[in-house]
Amino acid sequence: MRYSAFQIVRQALRGHQGWPRAWGEATAKPRYDAIVIGAGGHGLATAYYLGRNHGVRNVAILEKGWLGGGNTGRNTTIIRSNYLQDPSAAIYEKSRSLYETLSQELNYNIMFSPRGVMMLAQTEHEVRGYRRTAHANALQEVQTEFITPERVKELCPIIETRGPRYPVLGALWQARGGTARHDAVAWGYARGCAEMGMDVIQQCEVTGIRSANGKVKGVTTTKGEIDCDKLAIVVAGHSGVLAEMAGFRLPIESLALQALVSEPIKPCMDVVVMANTVHGYMSQSDKGEMVIGGGADGYNNYTQRGSFHHIEETVRALIETFPMISRLKMLRMWGGIVDMTGDRSPIISKTPMENVFINCGWGTGGFKAIPGSGWATAEMVAKGAPGALAAEFGLDRFREGRFIDESVAAGVAH
Amino acid sequence: MSARRIDGGRLIDRTKPLRFTFNGRKMEGFQGDTLASALLANGQMLVGRSFKYHRPRGIVTAGPEEPNALVNLGKDKRFEPNARATTTELFDGLEARSQNHWPSLERDIGVLNDRFARFLPAGFYYKTFIHPRPFWKHVFEPFIRQSAGLGQAPRHRDGDTYEHVNVTVDVLVSGGGISGLAAALAAGKAGARVLLVEQSAHWGGRLDDAPDIDGQPAETWVAETVAALTNLENVTVKLRTTHSGVYDHGYCLAVERLTDHDPLGPGPRQRLWKVRAGRIVAATGAIERPLSFAGNDLPGVMLAAAVRDYLTGYGVAPGRRTVVVTNNDDGYRTAFALKDQGLEVPLILDARSDPGPVAEAARELGLKVAPGKGLAGVSGKGRVEKAAVAAIDGSGAVLDELACDCIAMAGGWSPAVHLWSHAGGKLHWDETDAMFVPDPDKPPLGADGKAMVRCVGAAAGELGAAEALETGWAAGLWAATETGHKPKRGAGPKAEPDEETPIAPVWVMPRGADPEKRAKMWLDYQNDVKVSDVELAQREGYESVEHTKRYTTLGMATDQGKLSNINGLAVLADARGEPIPAVGTTTFRPPYTPLTMGAIAGEARGDLFQPIRRTPMHEHHERMGAHWEPVGHWRRPYAFPRSGESVEEAVNREIVNTRQNVGLLDASTLGKILVKGPDAARFLDMLYTGMMSSLKPGRCRYGLMCSENGFLIDDGVVARIDEDTFLCHTTTGGADRIHAHMEEWLQTEWWDWQVHTLNITEAWAQIGVVGPKARDLLEALGGMDLSEEALPFMSWADGEIGGFKARIYRISFSGELSYEIAVDAGHGAALWEACLDAGESLGVMPYGTEALHVMRAEKGFIMIGDETDGTVIPQDLGLSWAISKKKDDYLGKRAQDRLFMTDPNRWKLVGLETLDGSVLPEGAYAVDDSKNANGQRETQGRVTSTYYSPSLKRGIAMGLVRHGPDRMGEVLTFPGVDGTETKARIVEPVFLKEAGA
Amino acid sequence: MSEPVSALGGAVFDGAVKVTELPPRAMFSLKGDLASKKIVKAATGLTGVDLPGPNSANGAGENGILWMAPDEILLMGPRTDQATAAARLEKALAGTHHLLADVSDARSVFLVEGEGSALREALARLTPADLHPEAFPVGAFRRTRLAQVPAALWMRDGSAVEVLVFRSVAAYVFGLLGHAAAGGSLSHF
Amino acid sequence: MLILTCPYCGVAADETELAPGGEAHLTRAGVESSDEDFEAYLFQRKNPKGVHFERWRHANGCGKWFHAARCTVTNEVFGTYPAQTLEPPKEILDEIVARRPGWTLETGP
């Protein structure tokens, strides 16, 4: 059923009894052309573009919990592509441009709001770093500019630009960056996959990967064995466990990354602000909550709880930058598990097992990458080899020392 | 003063009237009132508007679970949005305004949403506002944002201060009701270090319900117990302190409100307690559940226990004629309390067909009870006026209608298990009492792998006073024993158990209500989530509890679902045709109640936001009007502008003067690490790319350090003091990092090597005396022989100069004749002054970090952080001379052999000269003509540092360029961000040839 | 040669507790095998106090030995005979593997004085260390942090603690202690 | 907010007094190592869901590096021990098995 205002009126007159399920209740078939493990944003997007771009529609997406239940639903929803290194800029910009039209593409309002993202430069070192990024972006077809403190104040009046400790010396500004409704992205893709006849199977945990002479045959799950020609592992924090099943290891450590929201207040901040010198970033949701993200823990952790001192560090830094938040109250804090690679950049790669592909290691930058990541991974799965977008993100780079290091600009967090 | 203030009121002091205003209207209350009780006393039932439909909202509860009564409190520097009226203690002069309406609380335009409510079901916004595309950002979203958001955004800097305090205790008891008091007493008597916190301003909790304890009135027992606890050395008790969260390893946060009830009082506003607790006893009570009947969100519909609290605690009657609707015995307590105050209770509706003894008791008091009945709905304009009675199991056919101005609803209790769940405790569903209770087999684990939290009393589902005392006492003993104490024998406090008839869960009232009615039953009052919304979510496949919550926003309001979660869960379970436990619960996250940001920051604001590291000469620089640059936590002078001089002009003046006469640099921030031992030389050979073991005592050598991953991490001059002692200089930012790096390798890899290291950075003040007249200045100071013979380039010597015991290094970072003089930090300022005096006739001037950077660039010296960015190896920088070929290993060597590191196409360091003499833009890239497969312009190099050289009167730059060193003379194109282009020629990276050093 | 100056020139703050920046002392970091007789002898010989065990310090007036780590102690003495003391130590230590450094001006020392619980309550606002008398008795010495900087606390007697911090953050720490002293009683310790 | 006992000075250190250092018991792959071994040494990590051996430094304290055995799912700590060892000591392994019957030490890279 197509969603529209007209449809809502029609259904309203029937007491909303006529709405169909957004995605079907699927039971696994014995065999699929391709299986995607993980019904988070990246997994669902991978499946969606497999069908949309490559006509591969006999696909199952297996999810051990409920779809969109991982980091897709636990992040600060920032979307930007002002990265320094070419491979990052390429895939994040592809992603951002897909976000622009995703609501129309999926006929599901994911509320992409290109309200603009600014990264504050608060030391000379950051100024140099962001000027460099601005130059790189210009050559990468990514529209950014380095703006003055006056412009910063104009775009975000609640910022204290003349702070005693870290005055704002300028900012890297991406006007077409912004935010989106995180859950809606997963739900919209799931609905899109279902409409193409794909099976989204929740509460179905993969317990083994079956292969014959180095080639994948299928998976064993809590709901029985399922065969497949191709297998994509897109499970973020659980990648290590799945890789183990396929007999290889990853350059990954799983850490807790924390975020928090304040109680809702009337609109006072129309842009996304990232302040990396002081490790904090903030935006205001449509509900009015100030959404705040901070740094990741330094130790391995699967508890989805982080250490409070990071929250403390982030909040005090943001009060220094936004004095008005001091009397707001933190409503809720939570942790997400992020998988960090050796160079903090993602992995989109073939694996030692034939026809098994992996997409992981998005660290703190996963949400903004969902459409582009799905697009690139689908291409790799369909063609059996990575295309231009994914080419540089292979596992082999760690052996060769060919890193994609974004921290070099100015220690930019995602 | 008010029609609704009646007799009684345990918590108020009628001799102390207080004045306050609500929406500008003058009102009066008493000491001990909450804002909510005072508003009710003044007949103010309507206090706000809901989030989505802007429906009128009244006070529902008497505690922190309140979803409706949120106000804008105070003004200017003391303005707070979303303050809970039910937990805000009244004070004289309090100013409150209601939220989320325009133009006024009574006439709100946003209520239009309500007219169209049927067109705005759960998740409607996912299904519309899709076309045309730009409309979301520019039309739809602004409207949605404007109508959402509750309280006003503060406009001023916070006028209050906050503080933190860290304490370690054996036992933290949360909750000062009878159960918590019993726990604290048991643990305290056993000798454990106990901290007892109570969120409200008084002890004993819902005292009026409690029977006699140990043969005396509960109130007396509480007073005596609190006194006993206060007298115990090892026990601390705190009122107005909310236990916000439980984290790993017994780490807890509790916030103490010091002056919120007395804004003019001295000291901090709030104090954040960071508690390390061995064991935690959660005596946090339970929260009453609303009942879901049509119109249950009308002002005047309140929780039964809250109605009781206002009566007995504050002497306020929310209604004159109150209908009680219940599914358990507790509702009757409210009826009795009302009756006791001579207030009308036309009818008690009990969902249970056979209420048992309690109903008999009611009838004996002359109250009318209707078993097996419930509400078909309530109605009224802006507040409750009429209640319609129906059979509980029917579809809602109205049997009778009653006029009333208040509904007291008793839907059963939900234990406040938040503290149990924060750090991973699991719950199970108790069928008979219809509630989630802590599952003792799945507790949150402490560092020792054992249970660290125990819930007691109502928080454990034990609603009776007898059980509350029993479980509390037992938990106190448990916690004390677990933390190594030996409780003496002795019975705990006792009360008579009271028999109650079990609850009859009613999730939808009446049970057979049709969709029309279900669309009028509110689950989440603040976010406007109704029974029909949850059912719709389930129909559409959002059937996981997390999906439902996120799709409908159920439980995401500021009360975080304290009232709505369980009711919503039950409705979802029913819709899915599954038992409640199969549906599970959403995750409980800290904080228990919203926590002020300022309290989280504590003292770290303004001057104390972060440490500023000062060198011994800091004040002197300050007096000279230094323009500061933060380098890590250090502050270094960037330049010393004189009056009427721009920073830029100052930098150029400092450079010219240093090159022509002599300049002074405060080099104290450079790291200094002492490395000593028989294996020191061998150790440094592993740490640096170059050979340090061959360095002669008395000499200095420049060294590079790489990470094990091959990349350059630091550089500096190493001085060999004697056979087994070295002094390693690091960059300003590097001192602590590099010292940690050294210790890491010594302790975790080469622990059998005999080496000690010590970071002595701060013991010394170091001054660079730089320029052609440097030696003249030092000779003017007088002292040790500094002639070329006595102290050749790259050597050091101890001695005395100008009366200062000093160590002098003959090293240069500018190409000029240069000495670095190190003295005890305590003499730094004096030496700095002495140098200025001695050099006055020579034209000495201090210079800052920017002059330093330009001068090193003029000589083609690299700067860590400019030429390096974590992806650069020494080989890229033409520093092969600093990499020993003789050594078979050093940190980073293996990494530098990897495929990509030995790629001939790596970008290498060169100098860059613009054709027009201009300064190359910072961070610019040199382009190729082609584009890559992703449509990005190919690049072949980039600028790493670029300056105006006052010595050469032109722009100079260094950069990394593909095959650069082999392409001398070639011209590269650097596009700017503004479409312009700069052309620059590849040259040797040494711009200033003549040597001074 | 001019007199050495401390970071804050002997600043004083008087409130719920009294904070005084002490004048410069002679301080020596000594690293080595603390079981070695030579090292023990050198340290005790110079300071006249016994070698303290882990997490404690021994002092007499300006003299003292502070246990910094299993292989490191900090020696304190009067600033006047700094040079001779250094020479004495080197002589006593000759032939043993050790590191000795004169770090007299590397740190600032604050004397924090307060009656009853005020002293512990002020410091508890800044350090996560357990300052309860059971855990931090007289003579106890602990390296920890004060707010955002490393620091060492030495309980000299029931009403006085010496706080050691690096010289560059003296002003920050002085400000912290002032703020902590303004908070009022916790009625905890 | 972890609390770990430093095996050198015996202080029960707050997490804010400690600095995390990643997986313990890695063996350095030197100049002679193969690309595979060197990659494994620098990047490939065990990252287990469960018992994990890791390094910490008592940074705001005695400055010593030590090892901890901790569960990454519950955060319970099985013990801490000095860093100067190539594998976990027996008492630590025994403690783990006592609390995690059937658990075995994973060997190899």
Side-chain angles (χ1 to χ4, degrees), chain C residues 13-141:
Chain C
F13 169 89
D14 214 338
V17 294
K18 185 177 184 197
V19 181
T20 313
E21 190 206 21
L22 298 178
R25 283 182 187 162
M27 292 193 228
F28 300 95
S29 283
L30 176 53
K31 294 185 83 171
D33 174 5
L34 299 188
S36 137
K37 287 199 172 45
K38 262 194 168 179
I39 287 181
V40 175
K41 202 155 158 299
T44 54
L46 178 80
T47 58
V49 302
D50 295 344
L51 189 79
N55 307 312
S56 63
N58 293 331
E62 279 192 289
N63 288 314
I65 306 180
L66 288 57
W67 192 94
M68 303 293 280
D71 59 355
E72 180 183 357
I73 49 179
L74 186 68
L75 311 179
M76 286 196 187
R79 183 61 177 261
T80 47
D81 53 2
Q82 175 190 13
T84 48
R88 263 184 69 191
L89 283 168
E90 278 301 0
K91 194 152 162 296
L93 291 164
T96 37
H97 168 44
H98 73 280
L99 180 152
L100 177 76
D102 181 340
V103 293
S104 299
D105 289 335
R107 294 178 174 87
S108 295
V109 184
F110 293 98
L111 181 67
V112 185
E113 300 163 288
E115 289 315 312
S117 56
L119 180 60
R120 294 175 189 273
E121 289 186 349
L123 292 169
R125 287 169 161 96
L126 304 173
T127 172
D130 182 0
L131 296 184
H132 190 280
E134 287 168 10
F136 199 67
V138 170
F141 173 82

Side-chain angles (χ1 to χ4, degrees), chain A residues 104-147:
Chain A
Q104 295 71 31
E105 164 82 25
L106 298 174
N107 174 237
Y108 198 99
N109 188 358
I110 58 113
M111 304 179 204
F112 173 61
S113 171
R115 58 184 59 178
V117 174
M118 65 168 68
M119 296 183 169
L120 302 182
Q122 294 176 283
T123 65
E124 293 294 337
H125 181 64
E126 268 187 318
V127 171
R128 284 194 290 274
Y130 289 142
R131 284 191 187 283
R132 176 181 167 190
T133 307
H135 277 99
N137 289 161
L139 302 172
Q140 295 156 338
E141 311 281 321
V142 176
Q143 285 166 27
T144 63
E145 57 178 317
F146 189 84
I147 57 174

Side-chain angles (χ1 to χ4, degrees), chain B residues 658-677:
Chain B
T658 304
R659 293 238 181 255
Q660 287 172 1
N661 301 312
V662 56
L664 293 186
L665 177 75
D666 180 354
S668 307
T669 59
L670 289 187
K672 306 162 206 72
I673 301 169
L674 206 54
V675 178
K676 183 166 189 279

Side-chain angles (χ1 to χ4, degrees), chain A residues 35-44 46 60-65 68-72 201 204-207 209 219 231-246 248 250 252 254 302 304 336-340 347 356-363 366 373 377, chain D residues 47 49:
Chain A
I35 287 178
V36 177
I37 307 177
H42 290 259
L44 291 162
T46 298
I61 306 105
L62 309 182
E63 170 56 51
K64 80 172 166 57
N71 292 346
T72 303
I201 305 168
C204 176
E205 180 167 8
V206 171
T207 55
I209 294 175
V219 295
L231 181 67
I233 301 171
V234 195
V235 295
H238 307 288
S239 300
V241 183
L242 271 295
E244 204 97 28
M245 292 180 196
F248 62 98
L250 294 167
I252 277 184
S254 298
Y302 286 96
Q304 295 193 341
I337 301 308
V338 295
D339 42 348
M340 295 285 197
I347 292 165
V356 174
F357 307 88
I358 189 157
N359 171 322
C360 65
W362 289 94
S373 159
T377 309
Chain D
N47 201 31
K49 268 192 175 165

Side-chain angles (χ1 to χ4, degrees), chain A residues 380-404:
Chain A
M380 175 174 64
V381 173
K383 299 185 176 157
L389 277 178
E392 298 297 312
F393 293 100
L395 271 167
D396 51 359
R397 73 177 188 269
F398 296 97
R399 182 162 307 174
E400 299 169 0
R402 190 171 32 76
F403 305 108
I404 305 168

Side-chain angles (χ1 to χ4, degrees), chain B residues 53-202:
Chain B
Y53 303 142
H54 286 241
R55 287 172 63 87
R57 287 288 177 251
I59 296 161
V60 188
T61 77
E65 65 272 33
E66 176 62 34
N68 291 347
L70 306 182
V71 298
N72 289 320
L73 190 67
K75 59 174 200 267
D76 303 339
K77 283 157 62 188
R78 295 209 153 72
F79 170 78
E80 177 189 2
N82 304 322
R84 275 154 201 65
T86 49
T87 56
T88 301
E89 292 177 59
L90 197 67
F91 54 86
D92 202 49
L94 179 148
E95 294 177 41
R97 305 196 155 271
S98 51
Q99 305 185 151
N100 202 33
H101 49 67
W102 186 86
S104 79
L105 179 57
E106 291 68 22
R107 273 175 305 294
D108 171 28
I109 194 108
V111 78
L112 276 173
N113 294 6
D114 191 30
R115 305 263 180 290
F116 297 105
R118 67 189 310 194
F119 302 112
L120 312 177
F124 75 96
Y125 31 73
Y126 297 124
K127 298 172 177 161
T128 180
F129 305 139
I130 296 173
H131 298 281
R133 183 154 69 86
F135 272 48
W136 175 253
K137 165 93 189 320
H138 298 292
V139 183
F140 305 136
E141 189 182 35
F143 174 75
I144 289 182
R145 278 163 78 85
Q146 221 15 279
S147 54
L150 296 183
Q152 288 301 327
R155 280 189 197 70
H156 299 76
R157 229 169 235 286
D158 191 338
D160 283 309
T161 63
Y162 302 83
E163 70 174 16
H164 290 173
V165 59
N166 307 270
V167 296
T168 305
V169 299
D170 295 319
V171 187
L172 173 59
V173 180
S174 311
I178 59 173
S179 196
L181 288 168
L185 191 63
K189 280 183 163 174
R193 281 155 65 179
V194 178
L195 174 61
L196 167 64
V197 299
E198 161 58 38
Q199 66 186 2
S200 76
H202 46 86

